[in-house]
Amino acid sequence: MDFWDNTYGTGDVIFEKANFSGSHVILAKQNFGDGGVSFENAVFGDKGAHFSENKYGKGGVSFVETTFGGGRIDFSKNVFAEGSVNFSKAKFGDCDLSFGETDFGGSDLLFGLCEFGTGTVDFRKAKFGKGKLDFSWAQFADTYLIFEDSEFGETHVDFSKSEFRKPARFDKLKSLENVTRFSFEGCSFEKLFTFSHEGRMGCPLDLRRTKLAHTLVVHDIECDYAKRPARFPCLPRTAADREDSQRFRRLKELAVANRNHAKALEFHAKEIRSQRGHTTNLLQDTLQFFYWVLSDYGKSVMRPFCWILASAVTFAALFWHLRDPSLADDRNFLTALTYSFSNMLAFVPTGRTAKQQGEELLFGETVPDLMLFLGGGQTILSVILLFLLGLGLRNMFRV
């Protein structure tokens, strides 16, 4: 069966339940217009089929429950519009399936519940637009899956519950900033699974309940989460999907397994951020907000250090303003600053000495209750800031 360079109108092209077992099917360089193309329940033999360089309109393409035998199944360099490309429940034998350099536009590509035999499934340099890429519950028996230099738009990518018995490569993926979901939840990888991309993903990579035979390298995974306005306008925006925190927790576990402490800290911080606004515990949200403000979730050294200096100067200004004016004026602001630092280091012997001298110079023999209250508050705040400073140093130099 051989067709070349044909143009179709708005009518449908139907080959449902056709049997091509003894034929090498070539339906290449076709322009199908806005009509649909259907090969539902068709049977292809071992001689392959070529559907390369075709252009499809809005009617969509259906290979639902189609059986492919062997050879090469070529959909390379196709151009799709808005209709779905549906291979649901299709069965592939010992064949190589190629969608290389195909532009899917706004079409959904559906491979749910498909069964693949020996061969490769190749999506190198394919382009996905605003649509759904669905391989959920697919069975990749002895099939190599390749996504390399593939480009994505506002795509919903779903490989959940699929089984991979051969290597699966997702390398050098492009334009993932607007991806709405990228899920491998519940997948089983019996061989090597690689994932790398350019730029930052617009959603967390979903690897929850995924079985990995080899440790996944997470160094090149950069991802964020879709945001919505916070419960209170003064707070940062929160995650739109409450399950994003679980996805980041799984990525954190993989980073720990990689002994990549920097990525583990990054994913831990995003886990906490994505939880904000999805709990009924206002106190927890408030504490986590201050944890971010004061130390960037334990990642920063400069933040607590700057807060320590700022609090020392602020309290020194208060002590200087509230000093006893009747005492001899043989002191200056440095006296108040020294007293402020002594409150922060009251547990150090020299700090206790400086504190006693500062009280005598600023307030005389009897220290007002207000000064004791402010000094106690400053001491508590300094303990928290010093702890966060130590935590940041530990995380910075942790091996």
Side-chain angles (χ1 to χ4, degrees), residues 201-269:
M201 294 179 62
C203 64
L205 183 63
D206 191 354
L207 294 170
R208 294 174 297 168
R209 293 176 284 278
T210 299
K211 177 184 176 182
L212 298 171
H214 300 267
T215 302
L216 175 66
V217 177
V218 299
H219 180 73
D220 294 327
I221 297 177
E222 297 283 343
C223 49
D224 210 335
Y225 51 86
K227 300 178 177 65
R228 69 178 186 185
R231 187 182 303 171
F232 300 102
C234 60
L235 296 177
R237 299 206 301 168
T238 62
D241 189 344
R242 65 179 302 160
E243 294 187 2
D244 280 350
S245 61
Q246 301 174 24
R247 299 181 179 109
F248 281 117
R249 186 179 303 124
R250 174 58 174 158
L251 290 172
K252 179 182 68 176
E253 292 172 359
L254 293 172
V256 171
N258 286 181
R259 299 187 64 84
N260 190 331
H261 189 61
K263 296 300 292 187
L265 284 174
E266 176 187 331
F267 293 138
H268 176 63

Side-chain angles (χ1 to χ4, degrees), residues 272-291:
I272 295 176
R273 289 174 188 164
S274 56
Q275 286 176 342
R276 188 188 301 130
H278 292 292
T279 65
T280 57
N281 192 332
L282 182 60
L283 176 61
Q284 177 181 330
D285 283 355
T286 304
L287 292 175
Q288 289 179 350
F289 172 74
F290 282 108
Y291 187 29

Side-chain angles (χ1 to χ4, degrees), residues 104-304:
F104 289 95
S107 299
D108 294 332
L109 178 59
L110 309 176
F111 277 91
L113 296 169
C114 279
E115 297 180 13
F116 296 89
T118 301
T120 61
V121 177
D122 189 351
F123 283 89
R124 275 178 278 206
K125 296 185 179 180
K127 294 182 179 179
F128 302 92
K130 188 175 182 180
K132 184 175 183 179
L133 173 58
D134 183 10
F135 276 87
S136 59
W137 295 95
Q139 300 292 319
F140 297 90
D142 292 316
T143 305
Y144 292 85
L145 180 62
I146 303 172
F147 279 80
E148 186 174 340
D149 290 313
S150 304
E151 187 173 337
F152 295 81
E154 293 182 34
T155 317
H156 181 105
V157 184
D158 186 6
F159 283 87
S160 60
K161 313 301 189 300
S162 294
E163 183 179 347
F164 301 84
R165 298 181 189 174
K166 290 291 184 180
R169 288 173 46 198
F170 293 81
D171 296 332
K172 297 183 285 186
L173 305 184
K174 299 177 181 178
S175 304
L176 297 182
E177 295 83 1
N178 297 316
V179 169
T180 57
R181 187 180 180 190
F182 213 124
S183 176
F184 293 96
E185 182 184 1
C187 287
S188 174
F189 294 91
E190 297 185 14
K191 298 293 183 181
L192 183 65
F193 168 49
T194 60
F195 191 95
S196 66
H197 62 95
E198 300 175 4
R200 180 181 291 270
M201 294 179 62
C203 64
L205 183 63
D206 191 354
L207 294 170
R208 294 174 297 168
R209 293 176 284 278
T210 299
K211 177 184 176 182
L212 298 171
H214 300 267
T215 302
L216 175 66
V217 177
V218 299
H219 180 73
D220 294 327
I221 297 177
E222 297 283 343
C223 49
D224 210 335
Y225 51 86
K227 300 178 177 65
R228 69 178 186 185
R231 187 182 303 171
F232 300 102
C234 60
L235 296 177
R237 299 206 301 168
T238 62
D241 189 344
R242 65 179 302 160
E243 294 187 2
D244 280 350
S245 61
Q246 301 174 24
R247 299 181 179 109
F248 281 117
R249 186 179 303 124
R250 174 58 174 158
L251 290 172
K252 179 182 68 176
E253 292 172 359
L254 293 172
V256 171
N258 286 181
R259 299 187 64 84
N260 190 331
H261 189 61
K263 296 300 292 187
L265 284 174
E266 176 187 331
F267 293 138
H268 176 63
K270 289 176 180 176
E271 176 192 347
I272 295 176
R273 289 174 188 164
S274 56
Q275 286 176 342
R276 188 188 301 130
H278 292 292
T279 65
T280 57
N281 192 332
L282 182 60
L283 176 61
Q284 177 181 330
D285 283 355
T286 304
L287 292 175
Q288 289 179 350
F289 172 74
F290 282 108
Y291 187 29
W292 167 67
V293 169
L294 297 177
S295 70
D296 193 16
Y297 302 105
K299 295 192 297 179
S300 175
V301 173
M302 288 304 300
R303 282 198 192 186

